[in-house]
Amino acid sequence: MNALVTAAKKEGTLNVIALPPTWANYGTIINTFEKKYGITVNSTLPDGTSQQEVDAVKQENGSPKAPDVLDIGLAVALANTKLFAPYEVSTWSDIPAAQKDPSGLWYEDYGGYMAIGYESKFGTITSLSQLLTPKFKGAVALNGNPTAANAALNGVMLANLAEGGTPSNISKGVAFFHQLKQVGNFNPISATGATIKAGSTPVVFNWDYLNLSSYVGVPGWKVFVPSGVALGGYYAQAINKNAPHPAAARLWEEFLYSQASTGGQNLWLQGGARPVEQQAMTSAGTIDTSAATALPTVSGTPVFLSQSQSSDAATYLATNWANAVG
Amino acid sequence: MTVAATTKTGVRPSWAGRRPHAPTWVGTVPFLAYVAIFLLWPTGIVVIDALKNPDGAWAFSNVSEFGNPLIRGYFIGSFKLCLLSAAAGSVLGAILAYAVASGDPDGLIRRLYLSVSGVLAQFGGVTLAFAFLVTIGPVGLLFHASWYFDFPWGIGLIYTYFQIPLMVLVFMPAIDGLKVQWREASENLGSSAWQYWRYVGGPLLAPAFLGGALLLFANALSAFATIQAWENQIAYIVPQQISTAMSSEVGLSSVNEASLLALGLVIMVAVVMTIYALLQRRAARWLR
């Protein structure tokens, strides 16, 4: 570890990509890392998608500006493992086996559950069908196009599960959004922090860590999770095989998976995201308990889409989404 | 006024005879190089990628995707939006241009309109979408409407915001080209205002008008950021689907699909610009 710190300090720089400073506490995480190790973090394309991260790795291969580390959706990670260097952080055994690649090419980092965030002026939402009432005219939005953005695909899946659908067949979710569109409640504006703050997208299907009042900056912002529907999703970390700063990249991973009170795992938790080592940290007592209890509660057995369920959903959406809400 | 730097008549500079005359095409090399690098090369990449499969092998059967109702839907969407915004933009823009042109040629109004048009013709993208959002969006300052989400009518209305000023800019020279003597001549021959427009003004302006309309059509074809910021949860038009095909993180990304769609756009633009060039040639006959 000491040798790694020395080597990383010598490199002096770390290139990260697609890390919005307000997303899962990344602003603080980057600052803490910079201060702790005296390494400059170059953050590019903060609002990029996972696919754009991979494209940057390919296009800037060999350049000193190429991304060193990736925070990436699982579907994209699995399709691009040949770009990654295997690495096992020192807390490797605390990552549940199902949430990491056995050879260390990728490892899940943090995640959350899908939730419906909404402005308090709507009162309290207790069921999905309420969203079809006239009160929600032009209000209900997704975080992007479900054929492109993972969060939006999971938004449709959330409706699907709440409507009694199964993870391997998303059609009931698409049917729900078709109904929303027909009653005029579907809002096609892409929900971002800015649109939520401006009130243009007052109801948003999104990950719970992006649906926090502190994240969206709307006082009284509430969260609704349909009962018994715990649709989870985790992002994954990976190191660029040809990283221009290989030691700094590995030190960054060590920092992100550190269970210290100012380590990456607890910092993610403070940003409302559930760190992958949460269970081990709870048993070991290293978790930030006040941040952990502040998380929205979800009931039911957690569902994580498998690779084939996710790609079946994407295929169904590719042919049916445009017709359902167009 | 003194003319200093000339040599005496008949005395040629000593190097004059030795300088080789560069062929006339040399002057166009920078331009051609620019076109090759920034237009032909990227177009070539698009065409080649469009005709390959993800493994890099040739797949000419990709072209049959243009028959896929989904893919066709994006082109129909693009066509509708362009047609609507070009039609509204060209008619309203032409009327506005005529109104402005019939005023004082050096007047304040005209200068104001032209410079404002110059700015607004470039006012698109996220800023334009946001401007409409805060004006008539769900929490708009003026009123709250939802019809503007309608495709193509709502988004078409937003597009006219930059289409009308562009039409004013491109149509104004044609109106200025209408000589007042022609009007006097036709009046001297006893024609009514209607007859003047039907037989003189209208035919003279028609090529410029149609050319302007086609330019607006091509302009709307490539406008992407406005609609993407306005409503991006569904792809209505080709550029949006290209974006989805380039950046999908749910396993639907395909450079080849994106390139094929781009190829379709290249063909659409080529057709439109060919017609535009033909009309311009006709309009240029009397615009000198």
Side-chain angles (χ1 to χ4, degrees):
Chain A
M1 188 70 191
N2 285 338
L4 182 63
V5 174
T6 318
K9 279 187 174 165
K10 207 170 155 196
E11 289 170 358
T13 311
L14 175 74
N15 298 341
V16 301
I17 184 168
L19 303 183
T22 51
W23 173 299
N25 212 12
Y26 260 120
T28 313
I29 292 175
I30 289 172
N31 282 342
T32 314
F33 179 77
E34 283 187 320
K35 266 191 207 128
K36 186 165 181 189
Y37 295 109
I39 292 171
T40 312
V41 176
N42 292 329
S43 178
T44 51
L45 203 68
D47 289 323
T49 67
S50 297
Q51 186 60 40
Q52 287 170 325
E53 295 182 48
V54 165
D55 291 345
V57 169
K58 289 183 190 162
Q59 283 156 11
E60 296 176 28
N61 189 16
S63 140
K65 291 188 167 173
D68 288 307
V69 286
L70 303 176
D71 181 357
I72 197 172
L74 201 56
V76 181
L78 287 168
N80 293 285
T81 47
K82 58 181 185 296
L83 300 174
F84 307 149
Y87 184 69
E88 293 184 11
V89 292
S90 48
T91 54
W92 183 254
S93 58
D94 286 343
I95 306 175
Q99 295 186 288
K100 60 192 175 191
D101 175 57
S103 57
L105 288 169
W106 56 264
Y107 16 97
E108 291 185 345
D109 46 10
Y110 62 88
Y113 293 93
M114 279 311 290
I116 301 163
Y118 59 101
E119 286 184 1
S120 54
K121 69 173 181 194
F122 293 115
T124 302
I125 301 180
T126 51
S127 79
L128 201 62
S129 56
Q130 275 179 293
L131 295 179
L132 296 168
T133 56
K135 190 161 68 162
F136 293 95
K137 193 155 187 60
V140 186
L142 286 168
N143 180 9
N145 179 337
T147 63
N150 194 36
L153 181 143
N154 279 281
V156 180
M157 185 57 87
L158 177 73
N160 180 56
L161 298 179
E163 291 283 284
T166 64
S168 40
N169 184 350
I170 200 172
S171 60
K172 283 186 176 163
V174 174
F176 176 78
F177 276 90
H178 178 61
Q179 269 181 290
L180 265 184
K181 171 75 184 179
Q182 281 191 320
V183 298
N185 290 3
F186 181 67
N187 177 337
I189 300 171
S190 169
T192 63
T195 61
I196 294 172
K197 215 167 185 173
S200 307
T201 49
V203 180
V204 183
F205 282 62
N206 213 345
W207 296 116
D208 54 7
Y209 53 91
L210 302 179
N211 252 331
L212 298 166
S213 179
S214 56
Y215 174 73
V216 301
V218 175
W221 183 259
K222 293 190 187 177
V223 173
F224 163 66
V225 181
S227 77
V229 181
L231 176 61
Y234 277 76
Y235 279 87
Q237 287 289 322
I239 297 176
N240 179 359
K241 170 172 79 169
N242 297 323
H245 312 103
R250 283 157 181 79
L251 183 62
W252 171 252
E253 297 303 342
E254 292 292 350
F255 175 72
L256 291 181
Y257 288 85
S258 153
Q259 299 178 358
S261 59
T262 56
Q265 296 286 307
N266 272 322
L267 289 177
W268 271 323
L269 185 62
Q270 285 160 21
R274 296 161 207 262
V276 72
E277 295 173 359
Q278 187 170 4
Q279 203 154 17
M281 289 165 71
T282 310
S283 332
T286 51
I287 200 136
D288 179 338
T289 41
S290 67
T293 47
L295 292 172
T297 46
V298 282
S299 59
T301 321
V303 174
F304 296 92
L305 295 187
S306 72
Q307 181 62 9
S308 69
Q309 287 168 341
S310 170
S311 71
D312 285 352
T315 313
Y316 184 84
L317 288 165
T319 44
N320 294 289
W321 177 250
N323 290 333
V325 296
Chain B
M1 186 174 163
T2 56
V3 182
T6 49
T7 53
K8 279 182 210 154
T9 320
V11 179
R12 307 177 73 194
S14 58
W15 42 264
R18 276 185 275 126
R19 190 166 73 158
H21 279 282
T24 43
W25 54 264
V26 166
T28 63
V29 164
F31 173 73
L32 291 177
Y34 182 85
V35 168
I37 293 170
F38 290 104
L39 186 67
L40 299 182
W41 191 20
T43 310
I45 292 173
V46 162
V47 173
I48 289 169
D49 278 345
L51 300 177
K52 285 191 165 181
N53 65 20
D55 302 324
W58 290 105
F60 293 102
S61 55
N62 285 358
V63 179
S64 64
E65 277 293 298
F66 285 130
N68 178 337
L70 269 173
I71 302 283
R72 228 169 32 208
Y74 303 125
F75 281 97
I76 293 171
S78 270
F79 188 78
K80 275 187 194 162
L81 178 60
C82 295
L83 191 69
L84 177 72
S85 72
S90 55
V91 170
L92 297 174
I95 294 171
L96 185 61
Y98 183 75
V100 173
S102 51
D104 178 1
D106 296 316
L108 180 66
I109 299 279
R110 182 192 168 102
R111 279 184 288 152
L112 193 70
Y113 262 89
L114 282 181
S115 39
V116 167
S117 294
V119 173
L120 291 186
Q122 304 300 324
F123 185 64
V126 180
T127 36
L128 177 64
F130 190 73
F132 270 87
L133 199 63
V134 295
T135 319
I136 60 169
V139 287
L141 294 173
L142 281 185
F143 56 91
H144 307 179
S146 54
W147 50 263
Y148 54 82
F149 285 138
D150 187 55
F151 182 88
W153 296 101
I155 189 77
L157 172 92
I158 296 174
Y159 272 42
T160 56
Y161 201 83
F162 55 81
Q163 296 280 52
I164 293 174
L166 182 63
M167 186 66 183
V168 171
L169 291 180
V170 299
F171 198 54
M172 194 74 96
I175 296 180
D176 286 341
L178 279 185
K179 296 196 172 66
V180 72
Q181 291 89 335
W182 296 340
R183 174 129 209 182
E184 290 166 0
S186 61
E187 276 169 8
N188 283 340
L189 292 168
S191 80
S192 65
W194 157 249
Q195 283 170 322
Y196 167 73
W197 283 114
R198 169 70 184 80
Y199 297 106
V200 183
L204 281 169
L205 289 180
F209 177 79
L210 290 174
L214 285 171
L215 188 70
L216 298 196
F217 188 93
N219 188 39
L221 202 55
S222 62
F224 160 72
T226 310
I227 185 167
Q228 188 69 4
W230 191 241
E231 34 195 337
N232 84 343
Q233 295 177 30
I234 319 136
Y236 288 112
I237 62 170
V238 181
Q240 284 184 298
Q241 183 58 23
I242 293 177
S243 157
T244 299
M246 294 293 287
S247 68
S248 172
E249 59 182 20
V250 296
L252 297 173
S253 73
S254 158
V255 174
N256 306 104
E257 187 198 337
S259 300
L260 190 72
L261 290 165
L263 178 63
L265 279 186
V266 169
I267 294 169
M268 262 173 112
V269 172
V271 169
V272 170
M273 291 321 280
T274 307
I275 304 175
Y276 177 69
L278 292 174
L279 286 169
Q280 276 299 305
R281 195 180 299 171
R282 197 176 149 77
R285 275 191 218 154
W286 59 273
L287 263 181
R288 289 174 195 131

